[in-house]
């Protein structure tokens, strides 16, 4: 059984991932025009990745003796593509920090597999931020 702090942190990350895939789905659907087609495709392709992160977190919470709790942020996303990308770069950077904190907690609890997975997810989120920055120029 994992600590309450770790389970709470995993649930927080789960909700960020669910919020992100919902936001990316809506943003990908709403982007129009050839100028931003690359951004549209990036958002649509990232939905599956974010769903995978959320599924992993939900499964791990259960395996560690917790209960997944869904309370996603349903704030409508911006409609301006530049604003979308700028906001999402900042959100991805928050996720990187959160995953690294979870990796540290997992290490303290001797959960090597979780530590490594959290580091992998941090790296994945950092890659998303970099791809978005590239789209902004």
């Amino acid at each position: 059984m994992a600590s309450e702090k770790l389970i709470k942190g995993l649930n927080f990350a789960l909700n960020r991932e669910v919020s992100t895939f919902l936001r990316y789905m809506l943003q990908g659907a709403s982007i129009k025009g050839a100028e931003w087609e690359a951004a549209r495709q990036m958002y649509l392709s990232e939905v599956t990745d974010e769903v995978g992160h959320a599924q992993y977190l939900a499964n791990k919470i259960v395996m560690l003796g917790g209960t997944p709790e869904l309370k996603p942020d349903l704030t409508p996303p911006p409609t301006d593509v530049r604003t979308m990308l700028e906001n999402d770069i900042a959100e991805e950077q928050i996720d990187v920090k959160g995953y690294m904190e979870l990796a540290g907690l997992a290490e303290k609890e001797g959960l090597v597999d979780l530590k490594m997975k959290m580091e992998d997810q941090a790296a994945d989120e950092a890659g998303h931020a970099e791809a978005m920055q590239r789209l902004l120029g």
Side-chain angles (χ1 to χ4, degrees):
M1 184 111 173
S3 70
E4 185 177 321
K5 184 175 182 178
L6 180 57
I7 297 292
K8 185 176 179 179
L10 292 170
N11 262 309
F12 182 78
L14 169 63
N15 280 285
R16 287 193 57 83
E17 293 292 349
V18 170
S19 300
T20 299
F21 79 69
L22 292 171
R23 187 175 66 251
Y24 285 6
M25 180 183 63
L26 293 176
Q27 288 175 173
S30 70
I31 295 172
K32 298 176 188 167
E35 174 187 9
W36 292 109
E37 183 60 23
R40 176 175 141 58
Q41 291 304 317
M42 183 272 311
Y43 278 119
L44 293 175
S45 70
E46 290 303 327
V47 170
T48 304
D49 192 48
E50 302 298 338
V51 169
H53 291 177
Q55 186 63 67
Y56 173 83
L57 290 163
N59 289 340
K60 193 53 120 174
I61 290 165
V62 171
M63 291 306 299
L64 293 173
T67 302
E69 299 172 4
L70 285 180
K71 298 174 191 162
D73 177 359
L74 299 177
T75 304
T79 56
D80 175 71
V81 180
R82 283 196 168 280
T83 304
M84 284 178 196
L85 291 166
E86 290 165 353
N87 289 353
D88 290 331
I89 289 167
E91 292 297 327
E92 295 288 359
Q93 291 168 342
I94 290 168
D95 290 338
V96 169
K97 183 179 178 197
Y99 280 125
M100 292 307 295
E101 289 171 3
L102 286 170
L105 285 173
E107 183 174 36
K108 286 179 185 175
E109 295 190 31
L111 301 168
V112 177
D113 63 324
L114 180 59
K115 174 194 180 281
M116 294 175 70
K117 184 66 172 181
M118 294 298 92
E119 290 172 343
D120 287 346
Q121 287 193 189
D124 194 43
E125 303 298 3
H128 297 168
E130 187 175 301
M132 291 173 192
Q133 188 62 55
R134 183 174 296 275
L135 288 169
L136 282 175

